[in-house]
mmCIF file of all heavy atoms in Angstrom:
data_model
loop_
_atom_site.group_PDB
_atom_site.id
_atom_site.type_symbol
_atom_site.label_atom_id
_atom_site.label_comp_id
_atom_site.label_asym_id
_atom_site.label_seq_id
_atom_site.Cartn_x
_atom_site.Cartn_y
_atom_site.Cartn_z
ATOM 1 N N SER A 268 -22.881 15.670 20.478
ATOM 2 C CA SER A 268 -23.206 14.685 19.446
ATOM 3 C C SER A 268 -24.008 13.573 20.088
ATOM 4 O O SER A 268 -24.038 13.422 21.319
ATOM 5 C CB SER A 268 -21.945 14.115 18.788
ATOM 6 O OG SER A 268 -21.336 13.139 19.605
ATOM 7 N N PHE A 269 -24.680 12.806 19.230
ATOM 8 C CA PHE A 269 -25.436 11.625 19.663
ATOM 9 C C PHE A 269 -24.818 10.391 19.007
ATOM 10 O O PHE A 269 -25.521 9.508 18.539
ATOM 11 C CB PHE A 269 -26.909 11.751 19.259
ATOM 12 C CG PHE A 269 -27.631 12.911 19.878
ATOM 13 C CD1 PHE A 269 -27.673 14.150 19.242
ATOM 14 C CD2 PHE A 269 -28.280 12.778 21.093
ATOM 15 C CE1 PHE A 269 -28.350 15.224 19.802
ATOM 16 C CE2 PHE A 269 -28.970 13.846 21.670
ATOM 17 C CZ PHE A 269 -28.995 15.068 21.027
ATOM 18 N N ASP A 270 -23.512 10.320 18.969
ATOM 19 C CA ASP A 270 -22.818 9.239 18.279
ATOM 20 C C ASP A 270 -22.954 7.929 19.049
ATOM 21 O O ASP A 270 -23.354 7.906 20.219
ATOM 22 C CB ASP A 270 -21.330 9.588 18.112
ATOM 23 C CG ASP A 270 -20.729 8.974 16.861
ATOM 24 O OD1 ASP A 270 -21.285 7.987 16.350
ATOM 25 O OD2 ASP A 270 -19.699 9.481 16.385
ATOM 26 N N THR A 271 -22.621 6.840 18.392
ATOM 27 C CA THR A 271 -22.576 5.560 19.094
ATOM 28 C C THR A 271 -21.427 5.579 20.104
ATOM 29 O O THR A 271 -20.492 6.370 19.984
ATOM 30 C CB THR A 271 -22.371 4.401 18.096
ATOM 31 O OG1 THR A 271 -21.328 4.754 17.189
ATOM 32 C CG2 THR A 271 -23.642 4.112 17.320
ATOM 33 N N ILE A 272 -21.502 4.696 21.084
ATOM 34 C CA ILE A 272 -20.513 4.689 22.166
ATOM 35 C C ILE A 272 -19.099 4.416 21.661
ATOM 36 O O ILE A 272 -18.133 5.045 22.106
ATOM 37 C CB ILE A 272 -20.898 3.646 23.243
ATOM 38 C CG1 ILE A 272 -22.114 4.140 24.034
ATOM 39 C CG2 ILE A 272 -19.743 3.369 24.190
ATOM 40 C CD1 ILE A 272 -22.608 3.162 25.065
ATOM 41 N N THR A 273 -18.958 3.511 20.702
ATOM 42 C CA THR A 273 -17.641 3.020 20.291
ATOM 43 C C THR A 273 -16.615 4.104 19.968
ATOM 44 O O THR A 273 -15.527 4.115 20.532
ATOM 45 C CB THR A 273 -17.782 2.047 19.106
ATOM 46 O OG1 THR A 273 -18.664 0.989 19.493
ATOM 47 C CG2 THR A 273 -16.443 1.456 18.717
ATOM 48 N N PRO A 274 -16.904 5.054 19.047
ATOM 49 C CA PRO A 274 -15.875 6.035 18.697
ATOM 50 C C PRO A 274 -15.592 7.075 19.773
ATOM 51 O O PRO A 274 -14.521 7.689 19.779
ATOM 52 C CB PRO A 274 -16.413 6.685 17.426
ATOM 53 C CG PRO A 274 -17.886 6.513 17.510
ATOM 54 C CD PRO A 274 -18.101 5.210 18.212
ATOM 55 N N VAL A 275 -16.537 7.292 20.691
ATOM 56 C CA VAL A 275 -16.322 8.317 21.729
ATOM 57 C C VAL A 275 -15.842 7.732 23.052
ATOM 58 O O VAL A 275 -15.405 8.465 23.941
ATOM 59 C CB VAL A 275 -17.603 9.159 21.966
ATOM 60 C CG1 VAL A 275 -17.975 9.927 20.718
ATOM 61 C CG2 VAL A 275 -18.760 8.279 22.429
ATOM 62 N N LEU A 276 -15.901 6.407 23.179
ATOM 63 C CA LEU A 276 -15.529 5.759 24.440
ATOM 64 C C LEU A 276 -14.100 6.087 24.897
ATOM 65 O O LEU A 276 -13.886 6.386 26.086
ATOM 66 C CB LEU A 276 -15.736 4.242 24.331
ATOM 67 C CG LEU A 276 -15.555 3.433 25.619
ATOM 68 C CD1 LEU A 276 -16.515 3.923 26.705
ATOM 69 C CD2 LEU A 276 -15.799 1.940 25.332
ATOM 70 N N PRO A 277 -13.095 6.055 23.993
ATOM 71 C CA PRO A 277 -11.738 6.403 24.443
ATOM 72 C C PRO A 277 -11.659 7.813 25.030
ATOM 73 O O PRO A 277 -10.964 8.041 26.031
ATOM 74 C CB PRO A 277 -10.901 6.287 23.168
ATOM 75 C CG PRO A 277 -11.664 5.365 22.284
ATOM 76 C CD PRO A 277 -13.105 5.645 22.574
ATOM 77 N N PHE A 278 -12.392 8.761 24.445
ATOM 78 C CA PHE A 278 -12.375 10.143 24.921
ATOM 79 C C PHE A 278 -13.125 10.280 26.249
ATOM 80 O O PHE A 278 -12.771 11.119 27.085
ATOM 81 C CB PHE A 278 -12.980 11.078 23.870
ATOM 82 C CG PHE A 278 -12.268 11.041 22.552
ATOM 83 C CD1 PHE A 278 -12.897 10.556 21.416
ATOM 84 C CD2 PHE A 278 -10.951 11.475 22.446
ATOM 85 C CE1 PHE A 278 -12.245 10.511 20.202
ATOM 86 C CE2 PHE A 278 -10.287 11.444 21.224
ATOM 87 C CZ PHE A 278 -10.927 10.953 20.106
ATOM 88 N N ILE A 279 -14.154 9.456 26.421
ATOM 89 C CA ILE A 279 -14.870 9.445 27.704
ATOM 90 C C ILE A 279 -13.953 8.913 28.800
ATOM 91 O O ILE A 279 -13.872 9.478 29.895
ATOM 92 C CB ILE A 279 -16.154 8.588 27.604
ATOM 93 C CG1 ILE A 279 -17.170 9.257 26.675
ATOM 94 C CG2 ILE A 279 -16.762 8.358 28.985
ATOM 95 C CD1 ILE A 279 -18.393 8.413 26.372
ATOM 96 N N ARG A 280 -13.230 7.844 28.480
ATOM 97 C CA ARG A 280 -12.320 7.242 29.466
ATOM 98 C C ARG A 280 -11.151 8.177 29.799
ATOM 99 O O ARG A 280 -10.654 8.178 30.928
ATOM 100 C CB ARG A 280 -11.802 5.896 28.945
ATOM 101 C CG ARG A 280 -12.874 4.804 28.984
ATOM 102 C CD ARG A 280 -12.422 3.533 28.295
ATOM 103 N NE ARG A 280 -13.390 2.450 28.515
ATOM 104 C CZ ARG A 280 -13.435 1.328 27.805
ATOM 105 N NH1 ARG A 280 -12.567 1.139 26.804
ATOM 106 N NH2 ARG A 280 -14.325 0.397 28.074
ATOM 107 N N GLU A 281 -10.757 8.985 28.807
ATOM 108 C CA GLU A 281 -9.668 9.946 29.035
ATOM 109 C C GLU A 281 -10.182 11.252 29.651
ATOM 110 O O GLU A 281 -9.405 12.178 29.881
ATOM 111 C CB GLU A 281 -8.972 10.257 27.694
ATOM 112 C CG GLU A 281 -8.229 9.080 27.096
ATOM 113 C CD GLU A 281 -7.813 9.336 25.644
ATOM 114 O OE1 GLU A 281 -8.003 10.477 25.158
ATOM 115 O OE2 GLU A 281 -7.320 8.397 25.001
ATOM 116 N N LYS A 282 -11.498 11.285 29.892
ATOM 117 C CA LYS A 282 -12.159 12.474 30.464
ATOM 118 C C LYS A 282 -11.984 13.718 29.593
ATOM 119 O O LYS A 282 -11.809 14.831 30.087
ATOM 120 C CB LYS A 282 -11.672 12.731 31.893
ATOM 121 C CG LYS A 282 -11.994 11.589 32.852
ATOM 122 C CD LYS A 282 -11.905 11.995 34.295
ATOM 123 C CE LYS A 282 -12.246 10.824 35.224
ATOM 124 N NZ LYS A 282 -13.597 10.287 34.996
ATOM 125 N N LYS A 283 -12.060 13.496 28.276
ATOM 126 C CA LYS A 283 -12.051 14.603 27.321
ATOM 127 C C LYS A 283 -13.471 14.909 26.839
ATOM 128 O O LYS A 283 -13.762 16.009 26.392
ATOM 129 C CB LYS A 283 -11.144 14.267 26.131
ATOM 130 C CG LYS A 283 -9.658 14.189 26.499
ATOM 131 C CD LYS A 283 -8.812 13.851 25.282
ATOM 132 C CE LYS A 283 -7.327 13.802 25.639
ATOM 133 N NZ LYS A 283 -6.488 13.428 24.461
ATOM 134 N N LEU A 284 -14.338 13.883 26.896
ATOM 135 C CA LEU A 284 -15.750 14.061 26.582
ATOM 136 C C LEU A 284 -16.578 13.620 27.782
ATOM 137 O O LEU A 284 -16.208 12.670 28.487
ATOM 138 C CB LEU A 284 -16.148 13.238 25.349
ATOM 139 C CG LEU A 284 -15.591 13.685 23.991
ATOM 140 C CD1 LEU A 284 -16.060 12.738 22.894
ATOM 141 C CD2 LEU A 284 -15.997 15.114 23.661
ATOM 142 N N ARG A 285 -17.709 14.299 27.989
ATOM 143 C CA ARG A 285 -18.582 14.004 29.130
ATOM 144 C C ARG A 285 -19.882 13.377 28.626
ATOM 145 O O ARG A 285 -20.641 14.013 27.884
ATOM 146 C CB ARG A 285 -18.883 15.293 29.893
ATOM 147 C CG ARG A 285 -19.786 15.117 31.116
ATOM 148 C CD ARG A 285 -20.145 16.471 31.714
ATOM 149 N NE ARG A 285 -18.935 17.204 32.078
ATOM 150 C CZ ARG A 285 -18.776 18.512 31.881
ATOM 151 N NH1 ARG A 285 -19.734 19.221 31.304
ATOM 152 N NH2 ARG A 285 -17.659 19.107 32.243
ATOM 153 N N PRO A 286 -20.174 12.144 29.011
ATOM 154 C CA PRO A 286 -21.431 11.517 28.600
ATOM 155 C C PRO A 286 -22.584 11.988 29.480
ATOM 156 O O PRO A 286 -22.468 11.986 30.710
ATOM 157 C CB PRO A 286 -21.154 10.020 28.808
ATOM 158 C CG PRO A 286 -20.176 9.986 29.952
ATOM 159 C CD PRO A 286 -19.325 11.225 29.818
ATOM 160 N N LEU A 287 -23.692 12.399 28.855
ATOM 161 C CA LEU A 287 -24.838 12.889 29.624
ATOM 162 C C LEU A 287 -25.964 11.863 29.717
ATOM 163 O O LEU A 287 -26.642 11.778 30.735
ATOM 164 C CB LEU A 287 -25.370 14.183 29.008
ATOM 165 C CG LEU A 287 -24.372 15.351 28.890
ATOM 166 C CD1 LEU A 287 -25.093 16.604 28.401
ATOM 167 C CD2 LEU A 287 -23.661 15.621 30.205
ATOM 168 N N ALA A 288 -26.167 11.086 28.634
ATOM 169 C CA ALA A 288 -27.228 10.070 28.650
ATOM 170 C C ALA A 288 -27.104 9.163 27.441
ATOM 171 O O ALA A 288 -26.662 9.601 26.376
ATOM 172 C CB ALA A 288 -28.604 10.730 28.655
ATOM 173 N N VAL A 289 -27.507 7.894 27.604
ATOM 174 C CA VAL A 289 -27.596 6.979 26.463
ATOM 175 C C VAL A 289 -29.022 7.027 25.934
ATOM 176 O O VAL A 289 -29.964 7.325 26.683
ATOM 177 C CB VAL A 289 -27.201 5.526 26.832
ATOM 178 C CG1 VAL A 289 -25.730 5.446 27.185
ATOM 179 C CG2 VAL A 289 -28.059 4.984 27.958
ATOM 180 N N THR A 290 -29.197 6.758 24.653
ATOM 181 C CA THR A 290 -30.512 6.921 24.020
ATOM 182 C C THR A 290 -31.357 5.650 24.030
ATOM 183 O O THR A 290 -32.509 5.682 23.607
ATOM 184 C CB THR A 290 -30.356 7.390 22.568
ATOM 185 O OG1 THR A 290 -29.656 6.390 21.818
ATOM 186 C CG2 THR A 290 -29.584 8.706 22.501
ATOM 187 N N THR A 291 -30.791 4.545 24.514
ATOM 188 C CA THR A 291 -31.532 3.290 24.581
ATOM 189 C C THR A 291 -32.353 3.213 25.866
ATOM 190 O O THR A 291 -32.114 3.954 26.825
ATOM 191 C CB THR A 291 -30.578 2.092 24.511
ATOM 192 O OG1 THR A 291 -29.443 2.348 25.352
ATOM 193 C CG2 THR A 291 -30.089 1.856 23.104
ATOM 194 N N ALA A 292 -33.318 2.289 25.903
ATOM 195 C CA ALA A 292 -34.220 2.175 27.056
ATOM 196 C C ALA A 292 -33.499 1.727 28.322
ATOM 197 O O ALA A 292 -33.889 2.085 29.435
ATOM 198 C CB ALA A 292 -35.349 1.203 26.739
ATOM 199 N N LYS A 293 -32.440 0.919 28.140
ATOM 200 C CA LYS A 293 -31.680 0.496 29.328
ATOM 201 C C LYS A 293 -30.254 1.024 29.254
ATOM 202 O O LYS A 293 -29.749 1.345 28.182
ATOM 203 C CB LYS A 293 -31.672 -1.033 29.450
ATOM 204 C CG LYS A 293 -30.932 -1.762 28.346
ATOM 205 C CD LYS A 293 -30.898 -3.263 28.624
ATOM 206 C CE LYS A 293 -30.061 -3.995 27.577
ATOM 207 N NZ LYS A 293 -29.937 -5.427 27.864
ATOM 208 N N ARG A 294 -29.614 1.112 30.389
ATOM 209 C CA ARG A 294 -28.259 1.631 30.457
ATOM 210 C C ARG A 294 -27.270 0.713 29.742
ATOM 211 O O ARG A 294 -27.503 -0.482 29.609
ATOM 212 C CB ARG A 294 -27.820 1.811 31.915
ATOM 213 C CG ARG A 294 -28.605 2.887 32.663
ATOM 214 C CD ARG A 294 -27.937 3.234 33.984
ATOM 215 N NE ARG A 294 -28.682 4.255 34.716
ATOM 216 C CZ ARG A 294 -28.174 4.970 35.719
ATOM 217 N NH1 ARG A 294 -26.916 4.761 36.124
ATOM 218 N NH2 ARG A 294 -28.899 5.885 36.331
ATOM 219 N N SER A 295 -26.178 1.292 29.304
ATOM 220 C CA SER A 295 -25.123 0.522 28.650
ATOM 221 C C SER A 295 -24.314 -0.226 29.703
ATOM 222 O O SER A 295 -23.952 0.344 30.733
ATOM 223 C CB SER A 295 -24.201 1.459 27.866
ATOM 224 O OG SER A 295 -22.979 0.835 27.554
ATOM 225 N N SER A 296 -24.017 -1.491 29.429
ATOM 226 C CA SER A 296 -23.199 -2.276 30.365
ATOM 227 C C SER A 296 -21.768 -1.757 30.405
ATOM 228 O O SER A 296 -21.042 -1.976 31.374
ATOM 229 C CB SER A 296 -23.212 -3.755 29.967
ATOM 230 O OG SER A 296 -22.813 -3.923 28.616
ATOM 231 N N THR A 297 -21.356 -1.046 29.354
ATOM 232 C CA THR A 297 -20.006 -0.479 29.307
ATOM 233 C C THR A 297 -19.928 0.850 30.065
ATOM 234 O O THR A 297 -18.881 1.203 30.607
ATOM 235 C CB THR A 297 -19.567 -0.264 27.845
ATOM 236 O OG1 THR A 297 -19.728 -1.493 27.130
ATOM 237 C CG2 THR A 297 -18.106 0.162 27.759
ATOM 238 N N LEU A 298 -21.054 1.581 30.097
ATOM 239 C CA LEU A 298 -21.119 2.863 30.819
ATOM 240 C C LEU A 298 -22.282 2.820 31.809
ATOM 241 O O LEU A 298 -23.267 3.567 31.689
ATOM 242 C CB LEU A 298 -21.319 4.028 29.833
ATOM 243 C CG LEU A 298 -20.205 4.292 28.809
ATOM 244 C CD1 LEU A 298 -20.656 5.355 27.808
ATOM 245 C CD2 LEU A 298 -18.925 4.733 29.515
ATOM 246 N N PRO A 299 -22.199 1.944 32.799
ATOM 247 C CA PRO A 299 -23.338 1.725 33.701
ATOM 248 C C PRO A 299 -23.740 2.932 34.551
ATOM 249 O O PRO A 299 -24.880 3.005 35.026
ATOM 250 C CB PRO A 299 -22.861 0.566 34.591
ATOM 251 C CG PRO A 299 -21.364 0.649 34.545
ATOM 252 C CD PRO A 299 -21.042 1.104 33.157
ATOM 253 N N SER A 300 -22.826 3.879 34.739
ATOM 254 C CA SER A 300 -23.153 5.046 35.569
ATOM 255 C C SER A 300 -23.845 6.160 34.782
ATOM 256 O O SER A 300 -24.311 7.141 35.373
ATOM 257 C CB SER A 300 -21.883 5.606 36.222
ATOM 258 O OG SER A 300 -20.986 6.091 35.227
ATOM 259 N N VAL A 301 -23.911 6.005 33.464
ATOM 260 C CA VAL A 301 -24.547 7.030 32.621
ATOM 261 C C VAL A 301 -26.049 6.749 32.516
ATOM 262 O O VAL A 301 -26.450 5.661 32.118
ATOM 263 C CB VAL A 301 -23.910 7.063 31.213
ATOM 264 C CG1 VAL A 301 -24.597 8.111 30.337
ATOM 265 C CG2 VAL A 301 -22.419 7.351 31.312
ATOM 266 N N PRO A 302 -26.892 7.723 32.863
ATOM 267 C CA PRO A 302 -28.342 7.497 32.826
ATOM 268 C C PRO A 302 -28.876 7.374 31.406
ATOM 269 O O PRO A 302 -28.204 7.747 30.434
ATOM 270 C CB PRO A 302 -28.908 8.741 33.516
ATOM 271 C CG PRO A 302 -27.891 9.807 33.249
ATOM 272 C CD PRO A 302 -26.562 9.093 33.288
ATOM 273 N N THR A 303 -30.087 6.858 31.279
ATOM 274 C CA THR A 303 -30.763 6.823 29.978
ATOM 275 C C THR A 303 -31.462 8.156 29.749
ATOM 276 O O THR A 303 -31.637 8.958 30.675
ATOM 277 C CB THR A 303 -31.818 5.703 29.933
ATOM 278 O OG1 THR A 303 -32.849 6.017 30.883
ATOM 279 C CG2 THR A 303 -31.214 4.348 30.272
ATOM 280 N N MET A 304 -31.872 8.389 28.509
ATOM 281 C CA MET A 304 -32.641 9.592 28.216
ATOM 282 C C MET A 304 -33.950 9.594 29.011
ATOM 283 O O MET A 304 -34.388 10.633 29.509
ATOM 284 C CB MET A 304 -32.944 9.677 26.710
ATOM 285 C CG MET A 304 -31.816 10.246 25.877
ATOM 286 S SD MET A 304 -31.628 12.023 26.157
ATOM 287 C CE MET A 304 -30.271 12.369 25.028
ATOM 288 N N LYS A 305 -34.565 8.412 29.124
ATOM 289 C CA LYS A 305 -35.823 8.325 29.876
ATOM 290 C C LYS A 305 -35.610 8.721 31.328
ATOM 291 O O LYS A 305 -36.435 9.418 31.928
ATOM 292 C CB LYS A 305 -36.403 6.914 29.774
ATOM 293 C CG LYS A 305 -37.023 6.605 28.420
ATOM 294 C CD LYS A 305 -37.737 5.271 28.415
ATOM 295 C CE LYS A 305 -38.410 5.032 27.063
ATOM 296 N NZ LYS A 305 -39.143 3.746 27.002
ATOM 297 N N GLU A 306 -34.501 8.289 31.904
ATOM 298 C CA GLU A 306 -34.187 8.664 33.285
ATOM 299 C C GLU A 306 -33.900 10.159 33.400
ATOM 300 O O GLU A 306 -34.028 10.741 34.480
ATOM 301 C CB GLU A 306 -32.978 7.869 33.781
ATOM 302 C CG GLU A 306 -33.254 6.396 33.995
ATOM 303 C CD GLU A 306 -32.009 5.590 34.311
ATOM 304 O OE1 GLU A 306 -30.928 5.895 33.743
ATOM 305 O OE2 GLU A 306 -32.099 4.648 35.122
ATOM 306 N N SER A 307 -33.528 10.748 32.267
ATOM 307 C CA SER A 307 -33.219 12.187 32.247
ATOM 308 C C SER A 307 -34.429 13.030 31.857
ATOM 309 O O SER A 307 -34.315 14.240 31.670
ATOM 310 C CB SER A 307 -32.067 12.448 31.263
ATOM 311 O OG SER A 307 -30.927 11.687 31.618
ATOM 312 N N GLY A 308 -35.586 12.384 31.702
ATOM 313 C CA GLY A 308 -36.816 13.109 31.420
ATOM 314 C C GLY A 308 -37.209 13.208 29.963
ATOM 315 O O GLY A 308 -38.165 13.904 29.622
ATOM 316 N N VAL A 309 -36.496 12.494 29.071
ATOM 317 C CA VAL A 309 -36.811 12.525 27.634
ATOM 318 C C VAL A 309 -37.203 11.111 27.202
ATOM 319 O O VAL A 309 -36.392 10.177 27.287
ATOM 320 C CB VAL A 309 -35.609 13.019 26.802
ATOM 321 C CG1 VAL A 309 -35.997 13.094 25.325
ATOM 322 C CG2 VAL A 309 -35.131 14.387 27.291
ATOM 323 N N ASN A 310 -38.424 10.935 26.731
ATOM 324 C CA ASN A 310 -38.954 9.605 26.421
ATOM 325 C C ASN A 310 -38.422 9.093 25.077
ATOM 326 O O ASN A 310 -39.112 9.077 24.069
ATOM 327 C CB ASN A 310 -40.478 9.634 26.408
ATOM 328 C CG ASN A 310 -41.073 8.244 26.295
ATOM 329 O OD1 ASN A 310 -40.448 7.251 26.661
ATOM 330 N ND2 ASN A 310 -42.287 8.171 25.788
ATOM 331 N N MET A 311 -37.182 8.655 25.084
ATOM 332 C CA MET A 311 -36.509 8.228 23.853
ATOM 333 C C MET A 311 -35.946 6.822 24.007
ATOM 334 O O MET A 311 -35.434 6.454 25.065
ATOM 335 C CB MET A 311 -35.366 9.208 23.529
ATOM 336 C CG MET A 311 -34.553 8.855 22.302
ATOM 337 S SD MET A 311 -33.197 10.031 22.021
ATOM 338 C CE MET A 311 -34.097 11.455 21.425
ATOM 339 N N ASP A 312 -36.051 6.030 22.958
ATOM 340 C CA ASP A 312 -35.460 4.687 22.944
ATOM 341 C C ASP A 312 -35.014 4.353 21.526
ATOM 342 O O ASP A 312 -35.759 3.788 20.735
ATOM 343 C CB ASP A 312 -36.466 3.648 23.443
ATOM 344 C CG ASP A 312 -35.917 2.216 23.385
ATOM 345 O OD1 ASP A 312 -34.682 2.059 23.250
ATOM 346 O OD2 ASP A 312 -36.713 1.269 23.466
ATOM 347 N N ILE A 313 -33.794 4.753 21.181
ATOM 348 C CA ILE A 313 -33.211 4.460 19.867
ATOM 349 C C ILE A 313 -31.768 4.013 20.069
ATOM 350 O O ILE A 313 -31.026 4.619 20.838
ATOM 351 C CB ILE A 313 -33.210 5.693 18.929
ATOM 352 C CG1 ILE A 313 -34.636 6.159 18.624
ATOM 353 C CG2 ILE A 313 -32.495 5.379 17.619
ATOM 354 C CD1 ILE A 313 -34.702 7.358 17.681
ATOM 355 N N GLY A 314 -31.394 2.937 19.393
ATOM 356 C CA GLY A 314 -30.004 2.493 19.374
ATOM 357 C C GLY A 314 -29.599 2.258 17.934
ATOM 358 O O GLY A 314 -30.449 2.292 17.031
ATOM 359 N N THR A 315 -28.335 2.018 17.696
ATOM 360 C CA THR A 315 -27.860 1.793 16.323
ATOM 361 C C THR A 315 -27.393 0.352 16.162
ATOM 362 O O THR A 315 -26.490 -0.088 16.864
ATOM 363 C CB THR A 315 -26.706 2.754 15.983
ATOM 364 O OG1 THR A 315 -27.165 4.106 16.114
ATOM 365 C CG2 THR A 315 -26.224 2.536 14.559
ATOM 366 N N TRP A 316 -28.027 -0.378 15.242
ATOM 367 C CA TRP A 316 -27.590 -1.743 14.958
ATOM 368 C C TRP A 316 -26.719 -1.738 13.705
ATOM 369 O O TRP A 316 -26.809 -0.857 12.861
ATOM 370 C CB TRP A 316 -28.774 -2.696 14.789
ATOM 371 C CG TRP A 316 -29.729 -2.335 13.685
ATOM 372 C CD1 TRP A 316 -30.906 -1.666 13.791
ATOM 373 C CD2 TRP A 316 -29.581 -2.622 12.274
ATOM 374 N NE1 TRP A 316 -31.495 -1.498 12.557
ATOM 375 C CE2 TRP A 316 -30.711 -2.079 11.616
ATOM 376 C CE3 TRP A 316 -28.612 -3.279 11.522
ATOM 377 C CZ2 TRP A 316 -30.888 -2.183 10.238
ATOM 378 C CZ3 TRP A 316 -28.780 -3.371 10.143
ATOM 379 C CH2 TRP A 316 -29.911 -2.838 9.525
ATOM 380 N N PHE A 317 -25.877 -2.738 13.616
ATOM 381 C CA PHE A 317 -24.974 -2.897 12.470
ATOM 382 C C PHE A 317 -25.037 -4.351 12.027
ATOM 383 O O PHE A 317 -25.007 -5.261 12.865
ATOM 384 C CB PHE A 317 -23.536 -2.545 12.861
ATOM 385 C CG PHE A 317 -23.379 -1.134 13.371
ATOM 386 C CD1 PHE A 317 -23.624 -0.840 14.699
ATOM 387 C CD2 PHE A 317 -22.994 -0.107 12.518
ATOM 388 C CE1 PHE A 317 -23.491 0.460 15.181
ATOM 389 C CE2 PHE A 317 -22.866 1.192 12.990
ATOM 390 C CZ PHE A 317 -23.116 1.478 14.323
ATOM 391 N N GLY A 318 -25.122 -4.577 10.721
ATOM 392 C CA GLY A 318 -25.224 -5.948 10.253
ATOM 393 C C GLY A 318 -24.707 -6.138 8.845
ATOM 394 O O GLY A 318 -24.566 -5.181 8.080
ATOM 395 N N LEU A 319 -24.445 -7.379 8.503
ATOM 396 C CA LEU A 319 -23.905 -7.717 7.186
ATOM 397 C C LEU A 319 -24.993 -8.154 6.221
ATOM 398 O O LEU A 319 -25.922 -8.883 6.590
ATOM 399 C CB LEU A 319 -22.853 -8.814 7.322
ATOM 400 C CG LEU A 319 -21.512 -8.329 7.888
ATOM 401 C CD1 LEU A 319 -20.690 -9.488 8.392
ATOM 402 C CD2 LEU A 319 -20.738 -7.550 6.823
ATOM 403 N N LEU A 320 -24.848 -7.692 4.987
ATOM 404 C CA LEU A 320 -25.788 -8.036 3.919
ATOM 405 C C LEU A 320 -25.017 -8.329 2.647
ATOM 406 O O LEU A 320 -23.829 -7.995 2.535
ATOM 407 C CB LEU A 320 -26.777 -6.889 3.665
ATOM 408 C CG LEU A 320 -27.554 -6.351 4.866
ATOM 409 C CD1 LEU A 320 -26.891 -5.090 5.412
ATOM 410 C CD2 LEU A 320 -28.997 -6.033 4.475
ATOM 411 N N ALA A 321 -25.713 -8.946 1.688
ATOM 412 C CA ALA A 321 -25.130 -9.236 0.372
ATOM 413 C C ALA A 321 -26.104 -8.741 -0.690
ATOM 414 O O ALA A 321 -27.274 -8.485 -0.393
ATOM 415 C CB ALA A 321 -24.901 -10.742 0.220
ATOM 416 N N PRO A 322 -25.659 -8.582 -1.944
ATOM 417 C CA PRO A 322 -26.609 -8.245 -3.013
ATOM 418 C C PRO A 322 -27.739 -9.267 -3.051
ATOM 419 O O PRO A 322 -27.528 -10.462 -2.792
ATOM 420 C CB PRO A 322 -25.746 -8.318 -4.276
ATOM 421 C CG PRO A 322 -24.366 -7.972 -3.796
ATOM 422 C CD PRO A 322 -24.269 -8.625 -2.444
#
Side-chain angles (χ1 to χ4, degrees):
S268 78
F269 298 91
D270 211 338
T271 46
I272 288 177
T273 303
V275 297
L276 187 58
F278 301 114
I279 292 173
R280 287 172 172 164
E281 293 168 6
K282 298 197 180 301
K283 292 180 179 178
L284 291 179
R285 180 186 302 140
L287 302 186
V289 293
T290 63
T291 43
K293 66 176 184 176
R294 294 192 180 197
S295 163
S296 54
T297 307
L298 297 173
S300 64
V301 179
T303 65
M304 278 288 181
K305 286 187 177 181
E306 290 173 324
S307 303
V309 182
N310 188 24
M311 178 182 287
D312 177 16
I313 297 181
T315 301
W316 59 262
F317 301 85
L319 285 162
L320 307 98

